């Protein structure tokens, strides 16, 4: 057993291609080269070991392409709650925790005061993670005072305002600055557009902290990233791996004392681009494959949002439980939390990871050369490019070159009386893309 691989005969690339041609029964081998027109990326699916250019480091080692965890692939199960009535919301939270949730995502409904003692009564914050989507800095101050040393992530629309209060707000287990790249994905952007904007905004926040005298390790630890999850399974998986590589490269440039500072903290969040309110149960299948791609990419937190979160007739008691159940299914029945970097060893996925990383890094360099992510012209150009990609996605749905069950093919024979409410604007005030609404 110590010499396991010598027991199996190896195949050369020529032998491998000969077998593929035989199996294709006369079809051209070029059919295995998949070109994604929106992403502008070719994805060959028959790479051989001889095609591998770079050898990635092991999981748990910098630059963390293969994940930051060396012993398992576990993630937190994040469940979303809107804070309207604190007492009622508390009962929903307790119920979710009893059903497998170990990460609360608390979304403020307005900028008014929140009574956290009531909201989080009997909740053991020290045993779970909590994300707070705040509407005001005062809410954040009150939340951090209540949570004390518990592990929390803050989501707020104005990182500049938080930066001014960093001295008061920063705590060892608090990640104060969210870089929300999911809003790029929700607007219709590509994987590499999402990554390049995340890199640019993350770098901007890193530098601004350093300018305040915060050391590189602490500055990096204050930042966390949120990515949306799209429908292209392998692209989304490779996207997560590619981002960790690029972010480690940025942080390394500032000579942190600890290698672990190069590791990005990532939340993957389902968005609503591919959601259908007219054929609701197909959403559970879509969210499952989206969640799988994020999990196999090695994220730390998984937030599957109720698919009717922005609908006129939500049934969030059911859809929230189904969202939690997807994570439980991936853990308790599929055991994906115990398999470290399941994508490792796939030469095609390794190559796709490198391709997306190169595209994202090139775009990030363009942003930096032209004044940074805060420059109005840079943001205008990036917005136009994202809108162009959104338009391409819409055309694919209308022309049915890209098929979505219940959206543009196989319509639900049952008439569902439900429609969308307003979804928040996306990155740089771009309109959100919901493919169902474009038809």
């Amino acid at each position: 057993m110590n010499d396991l691989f010598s027991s199996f005969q190896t195949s050369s690339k020529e032998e491998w291609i000969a077998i593929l041609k035989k199996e294709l029964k006369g079809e051209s081998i070029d059919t295995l080269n998949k070109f994604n027109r929106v992403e502008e990326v070719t994805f060959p699916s028959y790479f051989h070991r001889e095609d591998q250019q770079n050898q990635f480091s092991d999981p748990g080692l910098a630059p963390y392409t293969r994940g930051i965890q060396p012993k398992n692939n576990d993630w937190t199960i994040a469940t979303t709650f809107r804070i309207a009535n604190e007492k009622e919301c508390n009962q929903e939270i307790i119920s979710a925790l009893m059903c497998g949730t170990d990460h609360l995502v608390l979304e403020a409904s307005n900028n008014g005061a929140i009574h956290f003692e009531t909201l989080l009564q009997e909740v053991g914050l020290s045993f779970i993670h909590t994300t707070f989507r705040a509407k005001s800095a005062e809410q954040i101050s009150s939340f951090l005072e209540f949570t004390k040393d518990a592990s929390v992530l803050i989501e707020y629309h104005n990182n500049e305002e938080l930066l001014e209060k960093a001295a008061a707000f920063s705590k060892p287990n608090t990640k104060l600055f969210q870089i929300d790249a999911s809003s790029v994905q929700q607007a219709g952007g590509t994987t590499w557009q999402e990554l390049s904007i995340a890199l640019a905004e993350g770098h901007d926040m890193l530098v601004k902290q350093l300018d305040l005298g915060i050391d590189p390790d602490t500055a990096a630890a204050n930042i966390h990233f949120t990515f949306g999850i799209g429908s292209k399974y392998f692209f989304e998986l490779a996207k997560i791996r590619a981002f960790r590589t690029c972010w480690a490269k940025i942080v390394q440039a500032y000579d942190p004392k600890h290698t672990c500072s190069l590791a990005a903290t990532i939340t993957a969040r389902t968005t609503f681009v591919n959601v259908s309110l007219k054929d609701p149960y197909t959403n559970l299948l879509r969210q499952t494959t989206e969640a799988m791609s994020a999990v196999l990419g090695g994220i730390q937190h998984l937030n599957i949002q109720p698919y009717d979160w922005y609908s006129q007739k939500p049934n969030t008691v059911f859809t929230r439980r189904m969202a939690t159940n997807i994570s439980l299914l991936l853990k308790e029945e599929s055991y994906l939390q115990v398999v470290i970097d399941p994508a490792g060893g796939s030469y095609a996925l390794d190559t796709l990871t490198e391709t997306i990383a190169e595209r994202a890094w090139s775009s990030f360099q363009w942003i930096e050369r032209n004044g940074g992510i805060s420059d109005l012209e840079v943001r205008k150009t990036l917005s136009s490019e994202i809108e162009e990609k959104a338009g391409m996605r819409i055309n694919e749905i209308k022309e049915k070159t890209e098929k979505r069950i219940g959206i543009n093919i196989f319509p639900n024979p049952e008439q569902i009386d439900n429609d969308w409410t307003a979804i928040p604007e996306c990155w740089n005030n771009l309109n959100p893309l919901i493919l169902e609404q474009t038809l």
Side-chain angles (χ1 to χ4, degrees):
M1 292 299 293
N2 292 332
D3 198 19
L4 176 65
F5 292 103
S6 65
S7 302
F8 296 88
Q9 184 178 353
T10 59
S11 300
S12 67
K13 183 177 181 179
E14 290 73 19
E15 292 172 322
W16 178 237
I17 291 177
I19 294 172
L20 291 174
K21 287 180 177 178
K22 179 181 178 181
E23 294 297 324
L24 286 169
K25 295 180 172 58
E27 285 191 56
S28 172
I29 197 169
D30 290 338
T31 60
L32 299 180
N33 292 324
K34 307 298 183 182
F35 178 70
N36 188 297
R37 196 168 64 92
V38 176
E39 292 280 345
E40 303 175 65
V41 169
T42 298
F43 177 39
S45 53
Y46 60 92
F47 267 93
H48 187 269
R49 187 171 187 173
E50 294 176 16
D51 296 306
Q52 190 177 33
Q53 297 180 356
N54 299 312
Q55 184 68 43
F56 294 145
S57 63
D58 291 336
L61 298 178
Y64 302 106
T65 306
R66 301 186 59 199
I68 71 172
Q69 302 180 91
K71 296 183 179 180
N72 59 50
N73 187 45
D74 206 4
W75 66 91
T76 68
I77 302 175
T79 304
T80 309
F81 304 87
R82 282 197 182 102
I83 306 169
N85 180 293
E86 288 92 338
K87 188 173 183 179
E88 292 177 3
C89 191
N90 172 259
Q91 295 304 305
E92 295 176 350
I93 289 170
I94 296 297
S95 177
L97 291 171
M98 295 297 290
C99 291
T101 293
D102 58 7
H103 186 154
L104 305 177
V105 180
L106 307 174
E107 181 179 293
S109 299
N110 53 58
N111 60 5
I114 298 173
H115 196 264
F116 289 106
E117 289 81 359
T118 301
L119 178 68
L120 296 171
Q121 185 178 4
E122 297 186 4
V123 175
L125 293 174
S126 60
F127 300 101
I128 62 174
H129 283 75
T130 308
T131 294
F132 182 38
R133 298 180 188 171
K135 290 287 194 298
S136 71
E138 289 74 22
Q139 289 177 340
I140 296 173
S141 178
S142 177
F143 174 72
L144 293 177
E145 183 178 352
F146 178 79
T147 56
K148 296 183 172 60
D149 295 327
S151 296
V152 300
L153 296 86
I154 301 298
E155 297 183 6
Y156 189 55
H157 66 278
N158 190 345
N159 277 335
E160 297 289 338
E161 184 179 351
L162 295 185
L163 192 63
E164 297 174 359
K165 304 175 184 293
F169 284 175
S170 292
K171 296 194 297 183
N173 294 323
T174 297
K175 293 193 176 294
L176 193 60
F177 305 111
Q178 181 211 26
I179 306 301
D180 183 14
S182 69
S183 63
V184 177
Q185 195 263 340
Q186 180 66 72
T190 65
T191 56
W192 48 269
Q193 285 174 328
E194 189 178 0
L195 296 196
S196 64
I197 289 174
L199 291 170
E201 291 192 341
H203 181 232
D204 183 65
M205 187 50 57
L206 185 67
V207 170
K208 286 177 177 176
Q209 291 183 81
L210 297 176
D211 289 343
L212 291 177
I214 300 173
D215 65 87
D217 296 276
T218 302
N222 282 337
I223 301 172
H224 65 105
F225 298 87
T226 303
F227 290 103
I229 319 170
S231 62
K232 296 300 182 183
Y233 188 83
F234 294 123
F235 280 79
E236 296 300 322
L237 191 163
K239 175 181 78 177
I240 300 298
R241 301 169 94 224
F243 178 77
R244 281 195 299 267
T245 308
C246 294
W247 180 245
K249 189 175 181 179
I250 289 175
V251 177
Q252 182 64 65
Y254 294 95
D255 296 322
K257 292 181 179 179
H258 306 288
T259 306
C260 61
S261 297
L262 309 183
T265 297
I266 298 174
T267 297
R269 174 178 295 156
T270 57
T271 58
F272 304 94
V273 176
N274 301 296
V275 166
S276 171
L277 295 180
K278 305 303 182 185
D279 193 11
Y281 297 118
T282 59
N283 298 319
L284 299 177
L285 300 175
R286 292 189 180 106
Q287 289 185 326
T288 298
T289 57
E290 290 173 353
M292 280 184 65
S293 62
V295 164
L296 298 183
I299 46 87
Q300 287 76 61
H301 311 293
L302 178 61
N303 180 203
I304 302 174
Q305 301 195 95
Y307 59 74
D308 59 352
W309 195 241
Y310 292 105
S311 71
Q312 293 178 357
K313 298 179 180 179
N315 180 18
T316 50
V317 172
F318 172 76
T319 55
R320 181 189 288 127
R321 178 60 194 270
M322 290 301 100
T324 302
N325 283 357
I326 290 173
S327 263
L328 292 174
L329 180 73
L330 298 181
K331 284 192 180 189
E332 303 301 327
E333 296 191 29
S334 303
Y335 303 107
L336 296 186
Q337 84 280 19
V338 299
V339 183
I340 304 173
D341 187 28
S346 169
Y347 308 125
L349 282 174
D350 284 350
T351 301
L352 183 60
T353 297
E354 291 177 341
T355 300
I356 293 174
E358 289 168 1
R359 291 296 303 268
W361 190 257
S362 177
S363 180
F364 164 68
Q365 288 180 311
W366 178 87
I367 293 171
E368 295 295 301
R369 284 197 306 269
N370 287 274
I373 197 66
S374 298
D375 184 86
L376 294 180
E377 286 302 314
V378 167
R379 297 177 74 86
K380 182 179 178 181
T381 299
L382 293 173
S383 294
S384 296
E385 292 173 349
I386 293 170
E387 287 178 322
E388 180 184 351
K389 295 299 183 182
M392 293 174 68
R393 296 187 192 279
I394 293 170
N395 288 337
E396 286 185 340
I397 291 297
K398 289 182 176 180
E399 296 167 2
K400 296 187 178 180
T401 55
E402 186 72 24
K403 296 178 175 61
R404 295 286 189 279
I405 294 174
I407 295 179
N408 64 349
I409 60 169
F410 305 122
N412 185 8
E414 181 185 356
Q415 296 298 312
I416 304 295
D417 182 22
N418 200 0
D419 214 335
W420 296 91
T421 58
I423 291 184
E425 289 183 331
C426 299
W427 186 81
N428 205 36
N429 300 319
L430 288 170
N431 292 324
L433 172 64
I434 300 176
L435 293 175
E436 184 176 70
Q437 287 187 315
T438 66
L439 298 177

